Amino acid sequence: MQQMPTFISILKRRNTDFNQGFTLIELLVAIAITGIIITLTGSGLFVLMNANQRSHSETTDRLEIEQALAFISDEIKMSRQIAIDLPSELVNIANFTASGSRSTQPILILHPATSSKLTVPIIYYLADPPNQSVWLGPKVIYRWGPTLLQNGNYSDGKGKDITQPLANAEIEYYNEVLIDRISDQSPTPNLDCDPSYDPIPTTTPKSGFYACIAPDRKSVKLWIEKQPNSSGQSQSINALVVTRSN
């Protein structure tokens, strides 16, 4: 008669099986599965981080060109007239000295409104970024003009509102970078001006800062295009702006 296994013998058998551990094949399979899981998880995390970085970069670039266009638009609205014959206009602005190392291209020359108390135009132009600076190329948009106060009026350079009677000091003009990474050759299509409008600049190919000025010199259509960095896509924006001052 066969003897039934006792409780102690069962425990001994299980302990013996446990002490024997996994076989080499089982360990290799487990390591392979773990490696596949880690690889897939790491790849997914890498793709997610790249997508997040690209989205953040594009959002930042979009915000920058929107702010730049809004600033220029506000100053156009405060102006009396927009110049068309830029070379002749520049000859008459004796104090203007462009920044940037070379290839200066004026785009907008704004004649201030009489109420602003300014007598010298404000200039927006394309040029190379300043040497040894944080600004990136291929081009940057410069603004040559007086500083603006929080109330929207111009400063004399010493923090005084030039519309106030006591502000009789000479008004200082400065070159400041408005936005960088502007395309030197814009790939954006459909930048041709209306036949009655004057293109600025008149040369081709068109750059990332481009203007079409109406015959009455009271309205202008602007384009700004910012080149992408290592991640993301180029960002472009345009708007029609009309002067509102006399």
Side-chain angles (χ1 to χ4, degrees):
M1 182 175 181
Q2 187 177 3
Q3 187 177 0
M4 295 294 293
T6 64
F7 177 72
I8 294 177
S9 64
I10 293 174
L11 287 179
K12 286 182 177 179
R13 188 182 306 155
R14 289 184 176 179
N15 287 336
T16 301
D17 294 340
F18 179 77
N19 291 333
Q20 287 179 350
F22 296 102
T23 65
L24 179 59
I25 294 177
E26 290 173 336
L27 287 174
L28 291 175
V29 171
I31 292 173
I33 293 174
T34 304
I36 293 173
I37 293 174
I38 293 174
T39 301
L40 293 176
T41 303
S43 299
L45 182 61
F46 180 76
V47 171
L48 182 62
M49 291 177 63
N50 277 349
N52 183 64
Q53 182 180 0
R54 183 168 57 251
S55 176
H56 176 73
S57 175
E58 291 175 357
T59 300
T60 301
D61 287 348
R62 186 70 184 180
L63 181 61
E64 287 181 0
I65 63 172
E66 286 177 352
Q67 290 176 334
L69 182 61
F71 187 91
I72 298 173
S73 298
D74 287 343
E75 196 143 52
I76 292 173
K77 294 173 185 176
M78 295 166 56
S79 301
R80 171 174 51 87
Q81 200 172 56
I82 307 163
I84 294 177
D85 189 359
L86 272 57
S88 298
E89 294 276 351
L90 289 173
V91 170
N92 296 324
I93 305 175
N95 296 330
F96 172 62
T97 301
S99 188
S101 58
R102 64 183 189 279
S103 304
T104 300
Q105 175 61 65
I107 303 295
L108 292 173
I109 298 181
L110 306 178
H111 290 276
T114 305
S115 58
S116 71
K117 300 294 182 69
L118 292 179
T119 57
V120 179
I122 294 167
I123 302 174
Y124 285 91
Y125 63 96
L126 272 176
D128 295 331
N131 293 326
Q132 298 179 344
S133 70
V134 298
W135 302 106
L136 302 177
K139 298 294 181 182
V140 299
I141 297 178
Y142 283 92
R143 174 188 179 269
W144 183 73
T147 56
L148 281 162
L149 300 173
Q150 290 184 347
N151 63 4
N153 293 334
Y154 292 106
S155 167
D156 63 354
K158 298 179 177 60
K160 295 181 180 180
D161 189 332
I162 64 173
T163 61
Q164 301 300 318
L166 297 179
N168 296 320
E170 182 179 354
I171 301 171
E172 298 183 27
Y173 278 52
Y174 304 91
N175 280 297
E176 294 181 305
V177 174
L178 185 65
I179 185 173
D180 66 347
R181 290 204 349 251
I182 300 299
S183 305
D184 53 354
Q185 294 184 13
S186 175
T188 301
N190 302 323
L191 286 185
D192 292 333
C193 294
D194 184 278
S196 62
Y197 280 55
D198 287 279
I200 305 293
T202 57
T203 57
T204 56
K206 298 174 177 62
S207 62
F209 185 33
Y210 185 71
C212 295
I213 303 173
D216 61 0
R217 302 202 294 177
K218 292 289 187 179
S219 63
V220 55
K221 188 169 185 178
L222 295 175
W223 284 268
I224 299 178
E225 180 152 348
K226 189 176 177 74
Q227 278 195 345
N229 53 19
S230 56
S231 63
Q233 299 178 341
S234 62
Q235 297 291 321
S236 62
I237 192 171
N238 65 82
L240 179 65
V241 191
V242 180
T243 62
R244 297 179 180 175
S245 300
N246 298 316

